[in-house]
Amino acid sequence: MESARQFALIVCVAVSSSQAACIASTELDGLDGEDEVVAEVQQEVVVYNALTRNALTRNALTRNALTRNALTRNALTRNALMGNSLTSEALRDPESRELLSFIVSCALPEDQSIDVDVGRKTYTFVGELGLAPEWGKKHGSCGETCQEWVSACLLARVNYLGEHVMISLRGQNDALSSTRKERDRYDAPEATYYGNVFLDTQRRFACLAPGEDSIPRVCGPSLDDCVVDVVGDCEDVCDGPRRDGSFTNCHDREPIFELPCGTRIFPRGTDRYRSSVSVFLE
């Protein structure tokens, strides 16, 4: 047992030494972002959530790989959407339009919108948060980082009953900076969401806020058949919390053990997501 403790301490020292430069660099790089998080911004990041499970997981907009690629590899604009027969055909499905409305809301800023013709009817999809504004530019596309930010936003806005509930979204993205008034009003942490719903096999994850053991807004009465895989406690699988209460760098599996120095060891093959959205309720 003593030998095991000594070995663990040696590992801790080795890890600390090898990571010191990286940690210092990360902390320095993140100072401005931290200051901005607690600064007063012009608009609160409080949005409605009513995205249904079926619209996210089973609709034609993201179910077909060719359609999904056509969506992310091209600009999120009217011309790009209408110019691709697969995507325009998928938008005949009401659930596809529901998902697209939330994609546009998450990705584009509030001063942008997209008009799409489906048959003889025109639908308008309005931007709101601006987590991936580059996607809406001419010749734009949605790479991995864009996909993960939009995915985290979509997962955070699923509602088990399809009801409109106001939620506060926070995370390490300028578009998610919050006001003091917002933080005071929405002071009940719920969960943090992350993954990528644009992959062939969707990756949908969440971790629980400190002290929570369920997510009824998203999962309903049980975690067993939840639309997201609830990995565990955010304090175990993510970094943080940050000063606004959000978590970052979340893993898709729980650590197998923690060294005495606090370093967590995760199973081989564990993925980490830098883009995550933490939700707070009133």
Side-chain angles (χ1 to χ4, degrees):
M1 182 66 70
E2 184 63 31
S3 298
R5 278 198 292 267
Q6 291 176 350
F7 175 75
L9 288 174
I10 292 173
V11 173
C12 284
V13 171
V15 170
S16 299
S17 299
S18 64
Q19 292 183 345
C22 295
I23 293 174
S25 174
T26 300
E27 289 177 348
L28 289 173
D29 291 343
L31 284 179
D32 291 340
E34 285 292 302
D35 290 343
E36 187 168 0
V37 164
V38 297
E40 289 298 315
V41 291
Q42 293 298 315
Q43 183 177 357
E44 295 183 350
V45 191
V46 179
V47 298
Y48 276 120
N49 77 297
L51 179 60
T52 60
R53 173 184 179 132
N54 287 350
L56 177 65
T57 62
R58 295 210 299 261
N59 81 94
L61 185 62
T62 57
R63 184 175 57 215
N64 183 290
L66 293 176
T67 304
R68 183 165 51 249
N69 290 338
L71 179 67
T72 58
R73 291 179 182 175
N74 294 284
L76 192 58
T77 61
R78 171 186 170 87
N79 288 343
L81 291 172
M82 297 282 64
N84 186 281
S85 58
L86 288 170
T87 303
S88 58
E89 180 63 26
L91 289 174
R92 293 182 179 275
D93 178 358
E95 289 185 342
S96 293
R97 297 195 296 272
E98 178 187 346
L99 179 58
L100 181 61
S101 70
F102 280 93
I103 288 176
V104 173
S105 174
C106 289
L108 303 186
E110 60 182 352
D111 60 350
Q112 294 185 29
S113 63
I114 303 173
D115 291 331
V116 176
D117 299 326
V118 180
R120 297 182 179 181
K121 189 170 183 178
T122 299
Y123 295 89
T124 299
F125 302 95
V126 181
E128 187 172 12
L129 294 176
L131 285 168
E134 70 279 3
W135 195 6
K137 295 180 180 179
K138 187 177 181 180
H139 305 307
S141 61
C142 189
E144 184 178 43
T145 299
C146 163
Q147 291 175 29
E148 291 183 3
W149 272 119
V150 175
S151 295
C153 177
L154 292 174
L155 294 170
R157 298 176 75 176
V158 172
N159 186 283
Y160 179 77
L161 298 176
E163 296 177 342
H164 285 79
V165 177
M166 295 297 287
I167 58 176
S168 170
L169 306 183
R170 301 174 205 169
Q172 198 170 21
N173 187 304
D174 290 344
L176 298 179
S177 298
S178 57
T179 65
R180 185 175 301 279
K181 179 181 178 181
E182 174 188 345
R183 295 190 298 274
D184 289 343
R185 180 176 178 182
Y186 295 85
D187 60 353
E190 177 196 64
T192 295
Y193 302 88
Y194 50 100
N196 192 332
V197 303
F198 298 97
L199 298 177
D200 290 344
T201 300
Q202 290 186 335
R203 297 179 66 77
R204 308 185 300 270
F205 301 104
C207 62
L208 296 166
E212 297 298 318
D213 58 10
S214 63
I215 318 176
R217 179 184 65 87
V218 173
C219 299
S222 172
L223 298 179
D224 294 338
D225 189 36
C226 186
V227 67
V228 294
D229 293 326
V230 181
V231 179
D233 295 335
C234 294
E235 292 179 319
D236 294 334
V237 301
C238 307
D239 294 340
R242 302 168 70 234
R243 278 185 280 178
D244 66 347
S246 64
F247 289 86
T248 62
N249 299 320
C250 297
H251 295 76
D252 60 0
R253 293 191 235 177
E254 291 187 279
I256 51 179
F257 62 89
E258 183 174 329
L259 298 175
C261 54
T263 299
R264 292 164 294 170
I265 305 300
F266 290 87
R268 184 185 301 273
T270 299
D271 288 328
R272 183 180 69 165
Y273 293 83
R274 295 181 180 275
S275 308
S276 57
V277 172
S278 298
V279 169
F280 293 75
L281 309 174
E282 287 188 275

